[in-house]
Amino acid sequence: MTQATFNRYERSLKQGRKRPFLTLLLFICLLALLATVVAAAPPDVTDLRVEGATISSQPAYGVNFISWAKGLTPVSQTRYDNGKATGATWNRWPMYWYDIEQSDNNFNWTYQDVAVENDLAQGFQLNAILLGTPSFYTTNSKPENPLPRPVPGRPLGIEAVQAATPMGVYEPVFSDNSDILSADKQINSANRWARFVYTAVSRYKPGGVLSQANGWPAGQGVTHWEMWNEPDLASFWDGTTADYARLLQVGYLAAKLADPNAQILFGGLANESTNLSFYEDVMTIFDADVQAATYDYYHDILATHNYLYAWRSWYHVWRADNTLAARNLTKPIWLNESGVPVWDDYPGPVCEPTSPFRASMNEQADFIIQSAFYATYAGADNIFFFQLYDDCGNQPGGTNFTPVASCSGDPTIDPGGDAFGLFSNVADPGISGCYWEHPNGGAPRPGFTAFQLLTTYFTDVEPLWRLRPGNDDPVNGPQEWIAFYQPATQSRILGLWARFGEAQTAVIPTTNANGSAQLIWPDGTMEVVTAVNGEFTVTLPAATNQNAIWDPALYPIGGRPAILIEQDTLPPTVSINAPTTATTEISLSWTGSDDGSGMAMYDVWVAVDGGDFVLWLEGIGEETAVYPSQLGHIYQFMVVGYDNAGNQASSDPITVLAIELSEIIYLPIIAR
């Protein structure tokens, strides 16, 4: 419609005040004309500005027990090299309080110094766990039962006496009889836990005692401190929930006095089924503390654990995030223990394929991939595997047996052990400490390759979407698809696997104009696949693990997962909506969808009375806006959407007429 045509129509409206029937007729005709308005050509979207999404660092990777405070000599260089070969940059091991403070205020850091110095020299960051009450500081009547000095492969565990609430933990943290932190405060020595934490952090922090003694460069030292391990599990913590809340509060304040930049981890949660509300319960205690908000609820990072059931890596991270969100808090969440021991490799139990909570070596590799995809989708910022070698698992130091020659149909013939490791133990009791009779000692298991794939390909990603296709139930379909976008490569990374005991055929729409992608399996097998008619077809093997003792019908680990990686080169789909007519305001809404990288932003363009389109809103993430219109004009709108990979597309233009109709045209026409 030209301006002259519109002017003629406007004059007819004015005349219509005297001729209502003609006015109504003209209005109806105008609505028909709107569909044929010819607008100026949309701009060339290839010339418009593109901004990608902010690159995420999610997730980082760690492995438990790459080293530990084993003695006067560090772990072997081979062990460090194997730890580095996983691609992990984080190590995690405990500093047992009862080993270090050997009598009141008498600290021996010799073994810990060796381990910390060598970890840092090898380039690892350390998630240090502080735990284990000295028997002379326990608040109960349990007899003193000190453990022997550390032995190779000692498990992450403590005796009952070391699980007790420390004496003096309810004393004020600071010597001025307060729990108010400021730089000029001093630790109250009556609070033994506060003194221990302060001393440990002061020793190992960047610029601390050990740093100054060794001439470390600025910034080198231990910065991440975990306050106990699995405090929701009675075998690690026999105090009350309130006792742990106090322990965490004291540890946080003492550590921050020693190093304001220290990062404090809530003790990694075991997620015991009878105590799933532990984190919420502690946070509820802090809700009543008027200082809790000031001190970030006494932790900087929430740590959580998961074993065997891959989906729970999503569930536990998701639950923790909900607990934080309920308080308008945002914190990193670390899955700093995850894994499953294998049954089909020494130390077994190789004669018991249905051994509870265990998996085959291939299933362990599948768990590693699936757990990482689940946890990262839920928002996990750091993912640790437990552990590098079998060491002693959950058994005492020195545990060993000769591999069985034949099962003879009798599962009890093999005593079995805990084969958690990415590597089997080496054949040397002086090094391994346990299980030193593996026929190929020190060899990597398939899980090692799976973990390497994660640290190579699954880094700096952003969650996109998650589907469960394969039948009519979108919530419980037999396939699991979890998609991420990797900004650095402008690629979609899709993990997919069968959830149950039947093989599946996955048909995946491509997001690449050439229909080409890389398909990777947990054993490191890679192939280039090509889409047919815009779709990839991938056969997903059936799930096989049913070792969840609480539900024999459950498949806690899905079938062999595939990882499909392809660059996103296809444009998004965008559209814009508005009412056909308006007055002085035009309410607009638009949408965009992109399965390859997700939508980044929009530009909204407007043309008035058939003129050229001009940019109205630029680079916005919102999907609604109100345009201030003027009566008597025709407006056209178009939206240009950009995905995170820089691809762009424009919507079809829509037309809106801004008029003010005389009230008389709404009156019924009465024939006489």
Side-chain angles (χ1 to χ4, degrees):
M1 178 180 287
T2 65
Q3 186 64 44
T5 303
F6 190 89
N7 290 341
R8 287 196 298 273
Y9 174 73
E10 186 177 30
R11 287 195 297 272
S12 72
L13 282 181
K14 295 177 181 177
Q15 296 168 355
R17 293 193 182 100
K18 299 179 181 179
R19 293 185 287 180
F21 179 77
L22 290 178
T23 299
L24 180 61
L25 180 62
L26 286 170
F27 175 69
I28 294 171
C29 291
L30 178 65
L31 293 180
L33 285 172
L34 287 175
T36 63
V37 170
V38 178
D44 182 355
V45 296
T46 60
D47 294 334
L48 299 182
R49 179 178 57 84
V50 177
E51 291 182 1
T54 301
I55 293 179
S56 168
S57 61
Q58 179 188 13
Y61 290 100
V63 174
N64 284 260
F65 289 106
I66 293 173
S67 70
W68 73 102
K70 64 180 286 290
L72 295 174
T73 58
V75 299
S76 70
Q77 187 59 48
T78 298
R79 184 165 181 139
Y80 271 125
D81 288 343
N82 286 339
K84 287 185 279 190
T86 67
T89 57
W90 284 86
N91 188 11
R92 177 176 180 262
W93 50 266
M95 293 187 183
Y96 290 113
W97 183 12
Y98 56 77
D99 275 341
I100 296 165
E101 190 168 358
Q102 297 174 357
S103 61
D104 184 23
N105 204 26
N106 175 28
F107 300 94
N108 183 349
W109 302 95
T110 304
Y111 292 179
Q112 290 71 29
D113 286 355
V114 170
V116 170
E117 289 170 357
N118 282 274
D119 279 5
L120 299 180
Q122 296 286 338
F124 288 106
Q125 300 182 77
L126 177 59
N127 172 175
I129 318 165
L130 301 179
L131 79 162
T133 307
S135 58
F136 47 85
Y137 286 156
T138 58
T139 54
N140 57 24
S141 58
K142 294 174 183 174
E144 183 172 332
N145 182 28
L147 293 181
R149 304 302 301 163
V151 296
R154 181 153 129 213
L156 177 53
I158 54 180
E159 298 294 328
V161 67
Q162 284 88 28
T165 304
M167 183 185 301
V169 74
Y170 283 96
E171 294 291 329
V173 176
F174 303 113
S175 59
D176 64 353
N177 291 323
S178 81
D179 290 340
I180 306 300
L181 176 63
S182 65
D184 60 343
K185 294 294 184 73
Q186 293 183 338
I187 291 293
N188 176 14
S189 61
N191 193 318
R192 276 75 167 189
W193 172 246
R195 184 176 63 188
F196 170 67
V197 172
Y198 177 83
T199 306
V201 176
S202 298
R203 185 172 189 82
Y204 296 116
K205 71 177 181 178
V209 174
L210 204 61
S211 173
Q212 295 177 40
N214 292 336
W216 290 347
Q220 184 167 321
V222 180
T223 56
H224 287 67
W225 299 92
E226 188 173 349
M227 298 297 143
W228 223 263
N229 180 69
E230 298 186 345
D232 56 332
L233 200 60
S235 59
F236 274 101
W237 182 252
D238 75 352
T240 66
T241 302
D243 289 340
Y244 178 73
R246 177 58 181 172
L247 181 107
L248 178 62
Q249 176 190 23
V250 171
Y252 177 93
L253 294 172
K256 293 289 186 177
L257 179 65
D259 179 9
N261 295 317
Q263 296 293 289
I264 308 307
L265 281 71
F266 194 110
L269 296 167
N271 297 298
E272 169 66 31
S273 61
T274 60
N275 202 12
L276 279 178
S277 65
F278 186 83
Y279 185 42
E280 172 64 31
D281 294 343
V282 171
M283 295 295 276
T284 299
I285 291 170
F286 289 154
D287 287 338
D289 181 345
V290 295
Q291 297 295 328
T294 301
Y295 299 124
D296 294 324
Y297 276 65
Y298 304 108
H299 64 295
D300 302 300
I301 298 168
L302 184 278
T304 192
H305 300 166
N306 182 45
Y307 288 87
L308 178 64
Y309 192 1
W311 170 81
R312 284 183 177 168
S313 292
W314 171 85
Y315 179 58
H316 295 319
V317 174
W318 175 80
R319 286 193 309 109
D321 189 60
N322 283 350
T323 295
L324 291 165
R327 295 161 174 83
N328 296 314
L329 296 173
T330 301
K331 296 180 184 293
I333 299 174
W334 287 14
L335 184 67
N336 66 354
E337 277 188 35
S338 61
V340 55
V342 303
W343 63 265
D344 62 342
D345 189 32
Y346 177 84
V350 297
C351 297
E352 191 179 356
T354 59
S355 177
F357 303 105
R358 288 180 171 87
S360 70
M361 288 188 285
N362 284 335
E363 289 167 348
Q364 183 194 58
D366 298 343
F367 170 90
I368 289 170
I369 300 289
Q370 294 170 20
S371 172
F373 272 70
Y374 276 127
T376 305
Y377 191 78
D381 298 277
N382 204 341
I383 297 172
F384 289 66
F385 182 78
F386 189 93
Q387 52 191 8
L388 186 63
Y389 283 78
D390 293 335
D391 295 330
C392 291
N394 292 313
Q395 306 305 317
T399 301
N400 184 65
F401 61 90
T402 300
V404 297
S406 173
C407 295
S408 304
D410 181 6
T412 64
I413 198 171
D414 184 351
D418 297 314
F420 281 99
L422 298 176
F423 290 83
S424 61
N425 286 351
V426 300
D428 184 338
I431 295 176
S432 295
C434 290
Y435 308 129
W436 53 80
E437 295 192 45
H438 194 287
N440 190 22
R445 295 194 174 105
F448 169 71
T449 300
F451 196 85
Q452 277 187 321
L453 292 176
L454 291 175
T455 60
T456 301
Y457 296 99
F458 193 59
T459 59
D460 297 328
V461 295
E462 302 166 353
L464 269 182
W465 47 263
R466 177 181 168 200
L467 297 174
R468 282 183 167 175
N471 62 17
D472 296 332
D473 186 349
V475 176
N476 200 35
Q479 300 175 30
E480 188 77 85
W481 296 11
I482 309 180
F484 299 83
Y485 176 60
Q486 189 176 61
T489 61
Q490 296 186 331
S491 297
R492 182 181 72 184
I493 300 177
L494 177 63
L496 56 163
W497 53 87
R499 297 180 58 227
F500 308 126
E502 295 182 354
Q504 295 291 313
T505 300
V507 180
I508 308 110
T510 183
T511 187
N512 184 279
N514 296 324
S516 178
Q518 187 176 33
L519 185 66
I520 306 175
W521 297 95
D523 64 359
T525 301
M526 302 183 189
E527 59 180 312
V528 175
V529 293
T530 302
V532 177
N533 297 324
E535 294 176 329
F536 300 103
T537 301
V538 179
T539 300
L540 304 174
T544 54
N545 186 285
Q546 291 189 290
N547 295 42
I549 193 171
W550 67 91
D551 184 356
L554 179 69
Y555 292 92
I557 303 170
R560 178 122 290 202
I563 302 175
L564 188 71
I565 304 176
E566 57 177 330
Q567 279 198 311
D568 178 24
T569 63
L570 294 180
T573 300
V574 292
S575 62
I576 189 168
N577 296 286
T580 307
T581 62
T583 55
T584 58
E585 291 184 343
I586 301 173
S587 295
L588 300 163
S589 64
W590 53 90
T591 60
S593 63
D594 186 87
D595 289 340
S597 59
M599 296 304 298
M601 62 182 181
Y602 303 92
D603 292 343
V604 183
W605 296 73
V606 60
V608 182
D609 297 334
D612 292 335
F613 274 88
V614 296
L615 186 61
W616 172 45
L617 300 174
E618 182 177 17
I620 62 170
E622 294 82 3
E623 294 188 339
T624 61
V626 176
Y627 184 86
S629 53
Q630 294 181 348
L631 296 175
H633 295 278
I634 291 179
Y635 296 89
Q636 287 188 287
F637 297 93
M638 182 186 70
V639 65
V640 178
Y642 305 84
D643 67 19
N644 284 307
N647 305 305
Q648 49 201 348
S650 60
S651 70
D652 293 330
I654 59 169
T655 305
V656 181
L657 174 66
I659 60 173
E660 183 175 12
L661 298 177
S662 171
E663 63 183 22
I664 195 170
I665 72 169
Y666 295 105
L667 299 177
I669 299 173
I670 301 175
R672 291 177 182 247

